[in-house]
Amino acid sequence: MNRAEEPKVTYKRVLLKISGEALMGDQGFGLHPPTVARIANEVKSVHDLGVEICMVIGGGNIFRGLSGAAQGMERTTADYMGMLATVMNALAMQAALEQLGIHTRVISAIPMDQVCEPYIRRRAVRHLEKKRVCIFAAGTGNPYFTTDTAATLRANEMGCEAIFKGTKVDGVYDKDPKKFADAKRYDTVSFDEVLQKHLGVMDASAIALARDNDLPIIVFSLDEPGGFRGILAGEGTYTKVQG
């Protein structure tokens, strides 16, 4: 498809938020390289439309701070370990994207100059303007904040028009569709309803931050081939969380 035939995209700059577990494939732990490569191809298909892309990837496939704390580890230490896990995932995604010819920068909230850039907002914006994919790692750099909150924070700082939350299901449901056959999917849902009904889109801090800055969240299935690109082109199944 040449440039003239490409679909008109809905958004020009977006942030893709995925969990660390999305990189596990069918494994119970760690990174599954074919799955990382598949997600990288999804990102490339959107990048090829001319969309500027940021990413935030969780660390739950390697270490989750909250579960570490639940097992008796001091919470702050556990959260810092979780942040380091997100850096490992970001580097894996960077490698997969660059194999596809996509210039990518890993930008960490915790300085580690030998492996990635420190977070400097103006520099990150310039990378996006140059059509580089920016992967924001190490959360916000602070314990007690999730990567959901980090994603919403960075999306606002970068001037993104929407957050795309890639999940295992094709939107937001009133109850778990894997457990209840009568679960109903929302086409649109308000931020307040998400908070009041505990719909589990993102944690409450992230939802409140998105609401206060009028930043829509698009929840879609990352397992659906071409789903990310399809939504940008105005197609596909998803739920839009908005004010």
Side-chain angles (χ1 to χ4, degrees):
M1 180 182 284
N2 63 39
R3 185 67 65 180
E5 294 171 326
E6 285 176 353
K8 185 178 180 182
V9 294
T10 317
Y11 303 103
K12 295 295 186 184
R13 180 181 293 176
V14 301
L15 185 141
L16 174 63
K17 166 65 172 73
I18 60 176
S19 67
E21 287 89 345
L23 305 183
M24 291 192 310
D26 294 329
Q27 303 173 155
F29 179 82
L31 288 157
H32 183 238
T35 300
V36 177
R38 179 182 64 78
I39 294 171
N41 272 293
E42 293 283 324
V43 174
K44 181 182 185 298
S45 71
V46 171
H47 184 270
D48 288 348
L49 295 175
V51 177
E52 297 170 4
I53 304 169
C54 328
M55 295 182 71
V56 170
I57 306 171
N61 57 319
I62 298 170
F63 189 87
R64 186 181 293 280
L66 202 56
S67 61
Q71 293 174 35
M73 187 177 291
E74 195 266 324
R75 173 67 189 270
T76 303
T77 299
D79 277 355
Y80 279 123
M81 290 174 68
M83 290 180 217
L84 296 177
T86 71
V87 176
M88 295 172 69
N89 285 338
L91 292 171
M93 183 57 64
Q94 179 186 41
L97 285 167
E98 295 206 328
Q99 283 185 339
L100 298 173
I102 306 295
H103 295 296
T104 308
R105 296 290 185 273
V106 173
I107 301 172
S108 172
I110 299 173
M112 47 184 84
D113 296 347
Q114 286 86 346
V115 295
C116 50
E117 290 186 10
Y119 176 70
I120 299 169
R121 179 186 166 274
R122 290 173 65 89
R123 182 189 290 176
V125 169
R126 188 72 180 124
H127 287 320
L128 291 174
E129 291 170 350
K130 291 182 176 180
K131 305 302 181 185
R132 296 166 183 158
V133 173
C134 290
I135 307 176
F136 296 111
T140 66
N142 302 289
Y144 295 95
F145 289 93
T146 66
T147 51
D148 280 346
T149 303
T152 312
L153 175 65
R154 297 293 184 236
N156 280 306
E157 289 181 299
M158 293 299 105
C160 292
E161 296 166 308
I163 296 173
F164 278 70
K165 174 81 184 281
T167 69
K168 295 283 187 186
V169 292
D170 60 354
V172 180
Y173 286 77
D174 59 355
K175 47 192 167 185
D176 189 342
K178 294 187 177 179
K179 295 179 181 174
F180 300 95
D182 62 341
K184 291 183 172 59
R185 186 181 61 80
Y186 296 92
D187 287 326
T188 61
V189 63
S190 71
F191 293 116
D192 288 337
E193 201 171 352
V194 167
L195 291 171
Q196 289 162 8
K197 295 184 177 178
H198 305 286
L199 294 177
V201 176
M202 287 181 162
D203 67 70
S205 298
I207 293 294
L209 185 57
R211 179 192 61 192
D212 293 348
N213 291 278
D214 199 24
L215 179 68
I217 301 168
I218 311 293
V219 182
F220 72 106
S221 172
L222 199 64
D223 293 338
E224 183 69 32
F228 188 23
R229 179 188 168 103
I231 295 167
L232 264 296
E235 304 163 0
T237 305
Y238 58 90
T239 298
K240 186 174 185 179
V241 185
Q242 57 190 358

